[in-house]
Amino acid sequence: MTDAQIKDLRNQAEHMFYHGYDNYMKHAFPEDELKPLTCKPLGRDRLDPTHIAINDVLGNYSLSLVDSLTTLAVLASSSTEARRNKALHHFQSGVAALVEQYGDGTDGPAGQGLRARGFDLDSKVQVFETVIRGVGGLLSAHQFAVGDLPITGYRPPKITTGNGSNSIQWPNGFRYNGQLLRLAEDLGNRLLPAFHTDTGIPYPRVNLRHGIPFYAESPLHRDAENGVCHRIQRRNGELTETCSAGAGSLLLEFTTLSRLAGDPRFEQLSKRAFWSIWKRKGPTGLVGAGIDAETGLWTSSYTGIGASTDSFYEYAAKAYVLFSAAPAATSFGAFPPTAISDAHGGSSPHVDDPESYYGVWKDAHAAINHHLRRGRMYIHPHYIQADLFTGAARAFWFDSLGAFFPGLLTLTGDVEEATEAHLLNTALWSRYSALPERWSTSSGSVESGLGWWGGRPEFIESTYHLYRATQDPWYLHVGEMVMRDIKRRCWTKCGWAGIQDVRTGERSDRMESYFLSETTKYLILLFEPDHPLNKLDASFVFSTEGHPLILPRVAHQQYRASTPSAKGAPNVASGGSSAQTCPPPPAHHPFSDSPVASRGDLYHAANLARLHFMPTHETLESPLIEYSADHPSVSISDVRSPSNYTYFPWTLPLELVPPNATCDKMTARPTFDITFPTHPHGVLTPGSLQRVLNGILVNSISGLRLGMIQDVKVDIGGIPSSAELYRVQAINNIAMGRDEKVFVAKDTAADAVNPLDPNFTRVRDMAMVDLVIDVTPELMCSKKNTTSNLFDNSVTSTSSPDLVYSSPAHENVPHESSMMHAFNSLIEHVAALIHNDPQETTTGYLREYFPAITPTGAGAAPLPDVEDALGPDMSGSPRGGLVWHSIYVTDNNCNSRLPVSVPRDHQVLVITRGGCSFGQKLQNIPTFPPSKNSLQLVIVVSYDDAEAGLPSGWLVRPLLEKHQLTPAGLSRHRPIPMVMVGGGDKTHDVFRRAVGLGLKRRYSIQAQGVPISNLIII
């Protein structure tokens, strides 16, 4: 795209903004928004206070003007002086008009405006929307006005007034002395009552005049002397439910307000709210869609990257950027520091550490990729909605708010993932000439009739960030597509309408304030590469409403309403261990100017969006036809542009497409169902499936249906996996999370499983076994046990027993042999089915479970053919007795032969590793007549230092190269079975007090010879 074309598109974006802004000021100001179809103002719905779609946002404070000031400031840096002067004039006139309506924020006569003194309005509004639109818009406009944010050629001249304060004289005669900042503080103060909760999570709504009388349970209404609530009538149906995004996305605006106004309460309360949400994250490591501000309990178990959670993750990453530029406030005002530290789990220093917020983003991003992201094996990468607690898939729709995510990924350096996600958004826009509110990846159609597009900016925001990071002209053409579609479908004589249904083109009579604040702003910045904001080398961010914010290094005390709370040099983050460097832009294809156009997966996104099924529209109608003749902002291409899906690839000119280009083969994950026959005497009842920690326990397999899917190949612990896996993704239409397990008792499966069925074959593990030990209580290990589950062909991991019952093992473990899955089974079913402490048996002993590994080689002997020890019952209590009770514990058994009585009179021999070979240790055991009371098993206890070069707790499988020999050097007629355990001295001490020992063999399930990773036989 040539410079002239880009400049023309920038001019068109400017005209788009002015068409909306001028009509708002003409037909709607000082009301909140414009109704572009009827050319009337849109205000609060006084007749229906429950109409929250309107009343949550519209506070009766000229919202569209407040939201538009920063776009005017951006336009004031235009490339030509005439355009700069026009935009700057509109900006300064807009500030003056706002002050005329609401006063200058002081207590004197000048503080009274035509409509109100400040924002003393009887308007019940949503806290989140008021912060990001109202407070954020006022603060950002103030920072442009005083020079904290750049405007080309604008050097605010200051004059000193009689009282010693500074002001800026503007050409329109208005003297700016911090009116916007004081109004922002006034608005912020009116929101503070919502933060009076026991949880630290703010209430969702507040009345700008009366506070929160409708939340009777708030601590604000408690009588400190008498300990009772005031007599406040509770309003029926007042919801205390908020969302993670609404409660946790106040950080940027409120921190900026605190730093500029010198009042630390805003910063500390927003941080308290953020950490109060994060500490309640689910087992998946994600935050949910809905949470009760009074109880702190999740009201919705849905989680995703879109509506209700989106800006929580966005603000975690952006807080790291913004907070790195300046020190935190040191005073907590009326809210004690303990309230902040409690919300963070008792660690208050982390609240002000920028690294903590970046850590939240990194952890959340990892959890999103693990639970929500579907990779290339699902045609094209995309994100789903999942259960907050289990990670199970709950819905398969994409919402237009989620289109922000590629932009966030770009800002954090994950450009490849961002590019993949943005391709699908682009394909959807190409199909509908807009983004529907919800679209289903499974059905390929609009979800639940939610087909509107109200002018949302998220898609063009991500397009802007990706272009800034890659300089790929693809994104300029995407922006051109968006702008032409908006003109063609949304233009009216009085502004820009929303689209009620993207399929039919029906329009809605509302121009949202964010269209002027964000959508047009990002289009302007996309097509003006030399804009000062695109070159600003500072820790500034765009808020979720598109308002630039920065923490100035030197506070403007003359514009403050109170004394600053913190002074000193800025504490700029040095990068540290968590610093991440953005990758360089992708290399250009030798036959194309666009790396995106050269991608092998370019058409995969189009396939997932069903773009190839769309018919061609030969003719299009547009209200622009009658308007285009004498309006230069509308070109003939805007009017006659065909529907986008006639372009392949979309709007990219053919000359940028590589010649003879081919795409990668699309992969699909094999799926199938395993259905078990109904047993004549078995009926599948609700009790047949039982929810347990980390999975589902199957009590009856009769009539059971397992939905199987091929799992993704993974690398764990640096060990690559080349094995294929299957995973149970649904059981009787109950979706399973990626980390959830299906537990089936060995006896339960045996009754219904055909041993010859290739789709469901039980395989006994010949390499791993579990030792079940009864020990005396006084010398039980003081810590818990776990095992690692990382293997290859020759390496098996076993941890020390001081870690036996810990968190469940990883999913998708590589399976080079059945040994691998079986080794996980004990730890996983123990973690899921028993308590975290060793359990006392009926005889007063405590029972422990130890994983053990068998040897390999010519000298290896099969394990004794004894009955398996039973696992614990559902309450965690041990079941059944153990077969061996005579246990002899000695040293490494290298220097001398054991007494003849040891193998003759003891069933188990425990020796330590080291000092000599495994073969020599066994050779030092005398021959003995076989009997049920003689030696049955040798246990070798290993130490971590015996495995040099391996992670702690790992063991190499013992190798017995030669046949076992007797002390006399003859071949042993009956080789002695041997196993090895880890743990060193602690394990050795456990065996010294052991009074019983048994074996529990392991089993895995395979489907057509491929292991099923999350089905555990117990």
Side-chain angles (χ1 to χ4, degrees), residues 6-54:
I6 297 173
K7 183 178 179 180
D8 178 64
L9 291 171
R10 188 257 178 235
N11 293 338
Q12 292 183 46
E14 179 178 347
H15 287 301
M16 177 180 286
F17 169 79
Y18 278 128
H19 180 62
Y21 177 78
D22 290 342
N23 277 286
Y24 163 75
M25 295 300 292
K26 177 180 178 181
H27 298 289
F29 179 78
E31 298 299 328
D32 286 313
E33 287 182 345
L34 169 68
K35 300 172 72 173
L37 295 178
T38 55
C39 303
K40 295 179 180 179
L42 177 64
R44 294 178 60 79
D45 189 345
R46 300 292 184 182
L47 298 178
D48 183 9
T50 64
H51 190 184
I52 59 176
I54 292 291

Side-chain angles (χ1 to χ4, degrees), residues 593-613:
D593 290 334
S594 171
V596 172
S598 306
R599 292 177 63 94
D601 61 350
L602 180 67
Y603 293 96
H604 297 184
N607 183 280
L608 182 59
R610 282 72 164 182
L611 206 53
H612 53 295
F613 291 146

Side-chain angles (χ1 to χ4, degrees), residues 586-763:
H588 281 214
H589 191 279
F591 301 106
S592 171
D593 290 334
S594 171
V596 172
S598 306
R599 292 177 63 94
D601 61 350
L602 180 67
Y603 293 96
H604 297 184
N607 183 280
L608 182 59
R610 282 72 164 182
L611 206 53
H612 53 295
F613 291 146
M614 293 299 100
T616 300
H617 289 184
E618 300 298 336
T619 61
L620 290 173
E621 296 181 359
S622 172
L624 283 172
I625 295 177
E626 62 181 274
Y627 185 76
S628 59
D630 55 352
H631 287 78
S633 65
V634 180
S635 66
I636 195 67
S637 59
D638 296 321
V639 179
R640 298 180 179 175
S641 174
S643 56
N644 295 311
Y645 45 74
T646 59
Y647 290 95
F648 265 82
W650 310 312
T651 59
L652 196 69
L654 291 177
E655 58 267 22
L656 295 186
V657 181
N660 300 319
T662 58
C663 68
D664 296 337
K665 180 181 178 180
M666 279 185 285
T667 57
R669 306 181 77 178
T671 61
F672 61 92
D673 287 348
I674 298 177
T675 303
F676 296 92
T678 302
H679 194 275
H681 304 290
V683 179
L684 193 63
T685 65
S688 301
L689 302 178
Q690 186 173 357
R691 171 70 65 180
V692 296
L693 179 64
N694 202 39
I696 293 178
L697 175 67
V698 177
N699 294 315
S700 172
I701 208 166
S702 175
L704 192 71
R705 185 173 72 255
L706 302 178
M708 312 298 297
I709 189 167
Q710 184 177 357
D711 227 337
V712 180
K713 300 175 182 179
V714 294
D715 294 346
I716 300 180
I719 298 179
S721 167
S722 59
E724 292 183 344
L725 304 172
Y726 283 112
R727 175 170 57 87
V728 180
Q729 66 170 347
I731 177 169
N732 283 20
N733 293 328
I734 301 174
M736 303 284 295
R738 294 188 64 182
D739 292 334
E740 286 195 289
K741 314 299 176 185
V742 179
F743 302 99
V744 182
K746 180 177 66 175
D747 295 338
T748 300
D751 294 337
V753 176
N754 183 346
L756 302 180
D757 185 354
N759 291 320
F760 199 83
T761 308
R762 192 181 75 176
V763 179

Side-chain angles (χ1 to χ4, degrees), residues 928-947:
F928 56 93
S931 71
K932 66 178 183 179
N933 296 320
S934 63
L935 185 61
Q936 307 290 317
L937 181 69
V938 174
I939 302 174
V940 179
V941 179
S942 181
Y943 294 77
D944 287 346
D945 56 5
E947 306 293 351

